[in-house]
Amino acid sequence: IRTNNAFSNLHLNLKYIDMRYIFNNILALTFLFGSVLQAQTNTLDFKITSNNVKISGQNSPLTSTFTKTGNTIVWTQLVNGNTNTTSFIVGNVTGNWNQETSLGVIIYNMINGDMPVTLTISGKRTETSARLSFKRSDNKTENYIFNINTIYYQ
């Protein structure tokens, strides 16, 4: 009987070791996959086009593009035949984005001069949008929500 108990204890310990080994490997793979996905997100260059923006709840026709190259995002607007451009320096990037499906959420924290700006791109099965948020000097946030027509990956 002691032999059976010793064998049972050994068997249970092996199960515990196997589960710890499996758990550690899963944890390592999750960390590795997350790091690779984050690295791809940081280096993702694109051009986004939009022809509509919502400002203070009002939809307005506005032709815009957002072009990301390296750590710079350039917002180009076509207003009454004139082209206006604004450049932002990307500070950090968070979120997950699937380039193949254009699904997920990616957040670019940026600076324009001394003004903090955030560009959040959200891809859902039903729509893709971008929210450009400016933190004004009076600590209020000004939001522009763009309906994305196309995303070109570079």
Side-chain angles (χ1 to χ4, degrees):
I1 295 174
R2 284 186 180 173
T3 309
N4 285 340
N5 284 341
F7 180 74
S8 295
N9 287 338
L10 177 62
H11 183 67
L12 289 175
N13 287 337
L14 287 177
K15 279 187 175 180
Y16 175 72
I17 291 170
D18 288 344
M19 290 305 292
R20 266 188 34 197
Y21 176 77
I22 292 169
F23 176 76
N24 286 338
N25 283 334
I26 290 172
L27 187 62
L29 289 173
T30 302
F31 177 75
L32 179 64
F33 178 72
S35 298
V36 170
L37 186 58
Q38 184 65 36
Q40 290 173 344
T41 300
N42 287 338
T43 60
L44 179 68
D45 289 339
F46 57 79
K47 181 177 181 178
I48 292 173
T49 64
S50 172
N51 61 3
N52 189 39
V53 63
K54 186 184 285 187
I55 305 170
S56 300
Q58 298 290 331
N59 285 320
S60 300
L62 177 67
T63 301
S64 295
T65 61
F66 291 92
T67 306
K68 180 185 175 293
T69 306
N71 69 338
T72 303
I73 294 180
V74 177
W75 176 28
T76 305
Q77 313 115 59
L78 183 61
V79 181
N80 298 325
N82 296 317
T83 302
N84 301 322
T85 61
T86 307
S87 294
F88 306 99
I89 303 299
V90 176
N92 72 336
V93 183
T94 58
N96 293 308
W97 187 260
N98 186 322
Q99 186 175 340
E100 291 179 14
T101 62
S102 293
L103 297 175
V105 175
I106 187 166
I107 302 166
Y108 295 94
N109 293 301
M110 309 177 294
I111 297 174
N112 177 264
D114 60 352
M115 183 186 316
V117 181
T118 302
L119 177 65
T120 304
I121 303 169
S122 300
K124 300 176 185 171
R125 298 226 182 264
T126 55
E127 68 178 353
T128 305
S129 64
R131 176 187 299 262
L132 190 62
S133 301
F134 294 90
K135 187 76 162 197
R136 300 185 330 201
S137 59
D138 61 1
N139 283 330
K140 293 186 179 179
T141 302
E142 197 169 312
N143 292 305
Y144 300 86
I145 302 170
F146 299 86
N147 293 327
I148 296 176
N149 297 331
T150 55
I151 301 176
Y152 302 100
Y153 298 100
Q154 304 170 347

